[in-house]
């Protein structure tokens, strides 16, 4: 009997060790073998950005920016020029503790140029409750309408580290062929251009913001922002925005996330991305049976 008990115990320990878990802190992905962030120059905030809203909820110290949300306002910033492709990154540190309902975002958009019919590529950190991890949401909108019929293409992840402890680098690489989302140079998602109708092709600006999205951000709105814990602060540094601006010549070459100048991911990068999706992805819109996939034909193939 003791032998059976011990055998079952060791088997359970082995299964725990071998089974991937998005809550298993320190379970790090394999090396991608290539580090695109090292290829692009960093800049300070005022080189490439301006405050967009909430100027009294923003401060710049050397090259680092802090934006915060309290019960009176949040804050946002915007790049001074639009782009039609490029590498867009920042090192970000998030607020610890209770942050339910709060979104800290870094994203591309042309919503001001095309109100009610815009494109958008998002990295959003969805706030959380005590003891639960942040969720990183990636999303792509194509010519989204402002009438509540926006079609999201969400993929959500937990992270293999605590994003409140230190700065980590988050990036979007947008080329005419693909969009790649990266965390500390680790590719976590690739969104390919399968048709013009499902890919953003118009110039976009780079934005960052912190705001109250209590209606949906945390467990579909179950937990709201609690301003007893204000201010909620997002910190940004190591800004990168390199590529073809909307004013560049037609022959401007798009940047690449891999050693190949033609774009795509190397085999090692692709393997690392698959590893992350297998271990840390918590939602994929293409696998959501409740979604009407007639609006997302890229999920078919």
């Amino acid at each position: 009997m003791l032998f059976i008990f011990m055998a079952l115990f060791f088997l359970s320990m082995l299964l725990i060790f071998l089974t991937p878990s998005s809550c298993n802190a320190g379970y790090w992905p394999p090396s991608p073998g290539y580090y695109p962030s090292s290829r692009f120059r960093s800049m300070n905030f005022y080189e490439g950005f301006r405050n967009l809203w909430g100027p009294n909820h923003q401060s710049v110290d050397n090259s680092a920016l802090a934006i915060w949300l309290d019960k009176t306002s949040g804050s946002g910033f915007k790049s001074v020029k639009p782009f039609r492709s490029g590498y867009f990154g920042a090192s970000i540190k998030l607020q610890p503790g209770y942050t339910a309902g709060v979104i800290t975002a870094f994203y591309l958009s042309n919503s001001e140029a095309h109100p009610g019919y815009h494109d958008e590529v998002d990295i959003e950190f969805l706030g959380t409750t005590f003891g639960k991890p942040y969720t990183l949401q990636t999303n792509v909108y194509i010519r989204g309408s402002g009438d509540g019929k926006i079609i999201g293409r969400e993929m959500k992840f937990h992270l293999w580290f605590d994003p409140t402890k230190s700065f980590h680098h988050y990036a979007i690489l947008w080329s005419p062929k693909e969009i790649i989302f990266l965390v500390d140079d680790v590719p976590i998602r690739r969104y390919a251009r399968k048709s013009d109708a499902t890919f953003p092709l118009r110039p976009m600006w780079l934005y960052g913001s912190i705001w109250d999205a209590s209606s949906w951000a945390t467990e579909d709105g179950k937990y709201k922002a609690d301003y007893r814990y204000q201010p909620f602060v997002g910190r940004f540094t190591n800004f990168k925005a390199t590529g073809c601006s909307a004013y560049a010549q037609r022959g401007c070459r798009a940047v690449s996330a891999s050693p190949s100048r033609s774009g795509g991911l190397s085999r090692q990068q692709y393997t690392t991305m698959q590893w992350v999706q297998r271990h840390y992805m918590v939602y994929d819109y293409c696998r959501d049976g409740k979604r009407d996939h007639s609006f997302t034909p890229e999920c078919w193939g």
Side-chain angles (χ1 to χ4, degrees):
M1 192 71 179
L2 180 60
F3 173 81
I4 294 174
F5 173 81
M6 293 299 293
L8 290 173
F9 174 81
F10 283 114
L11 179 60
S12 65
M13 291 297 100
L14 182 63
L15 288 173
I16 290 170
F17 178 75
L18 292 177
T19 301
S21 169
S22 62
C23 298
N24 189 359
Y27 200 62
W28 289 77
S31 168
Y34 185 74
Y35 303 92
S37 68
S38 65
R39 308 275 298 181
F40 307 113
R41 183 183 71 87
S42 297
M43 62 182 174
N44 66 45
F45 175 75
Y46 289 118
E47 280 186 81
F49 301 92
R50 297 292 182 269
N51 174 264
L52 182 63
W53 60 284
N56 295 326
H57 289 66
Q58 171 183 304
S59 67
V60 178
D61 181 12
N62 294 322
S63 61
L65 168 76
I67 55 176
W68 60 91
L69 168 71
D70 60 26
K71 62 183 178 180
T72 65
S73 179
S75 187
F77 59 90
K78 178 184 178 181
S79 64
V80 296
K81 61 183 178 181
F83 295 84
R84 63 173 188 260
S85 67
Y87 176 94
F88 310 98
S91 295
I92 302 172
K93 184 179 179 182
L94 301 176
Q95 172 93 2
Y98 187 97
T99 56
V102 178
I103 287 189
T104 307
F106 187 68
Y107 61 103
L108 295 163
S109 179
N110 50 33
S111 59
E112 293 176 280
H114 305 284
Y117 196 64
H118 76 284
D119 308 302
E120 190 167 310
V121 180
D122 295 331
I123 291 176
E124 297 175 307
F125 300 95
L126 311 185
T128 188
T129 56
F130 292 115
K132 293 185 178 181
Y134 270 91
T135 297
L136 186 158
Q137 174 170 277
T138 64
N139 206 350
V140 179
Y141 293 120
I142 315 298
R143 289 179 287 280
S145 66
D147 59 5
K149 296 181 181 178
I150 290 177
I151 300 182
R153 293 167 168 84
E154 304 92 341
M155 287 179 66
K156 301 179 184 181
F157 301 82
H158 289 159
L159 296 165
W160 49 94
F161 53 81
D162 184 345
T164 72
K165 296 292 187 183
S166 59
F167 285 92
H168 291 268
H169 199 72
Y170 306 89
I172 299 166
L173 188 139
W174 171 40
S175 80
K177 297 180 179 179
E178 62 197 352
I179 299 166
I180 298 172
F181 298 86
L182 303 109
V183 176
D184 288 339
D185 288 311
V186 172
I188 63 170
R189 178 183 182 182
R190 178 177 180 266
Y191 181 85
R193 178 179 175 178
K194 294 188 176 181
S195 72
D196 290 355
T198 60
F199 196 83
L201 297 171
R202 298 176 296 180
M204 293 189 281
W205 285 258
L206 180 60
Y207 294 81
S209 62
I210 189 166
W211 55 290
D212 186 333
S214 289
S215 63
W216 63 270
T218 306
E219 299 187 31
D220 295 323
K222 179 179 179 180
Y223 297 100
K224 314 294 185 183
D226 187 338
Y227 288 100
R228 292 177 299 174
Y229 301 106
Q230 69 176 26
F232 304 102
V233 184
R235 303 183 189 278
F236 297 72
T237 190
N238 192 24
F239 291 98
K240 297 175 186 281
T242 302
C244 299
S245 79
Y247 317 118
Q249 294 182 354
R250 191 175 294 271
C252 179
R253 180 185 286 271
V255 300
S256 173
S258 74
S260 170
R261 295 190 67 186
S262 62
L265 295 172
S266 69
R267 181 176 297 180
Q268 186 171 348
Q269 286 176 308
Y270 187 76
T271 299
T272 300
M273 182 180 71
Q274 287 182 311
W275 188 98
V276 171
Q277 292 183 359
R278 189 165 61 248
H279 290 78
Y280 286 97
M281 186 171 68
V282 296
Y283 177 81
D284 179 357
Y285 74 105
C286 282
R287 300 179 187 178
D288 187 342
K290 297 178 182 178
R291 296 283 295 266
D292 181 353
H293 292 297
S294 64
F295 295 110
T296 55
E298 68 277 5
C299 294
W300 300 350

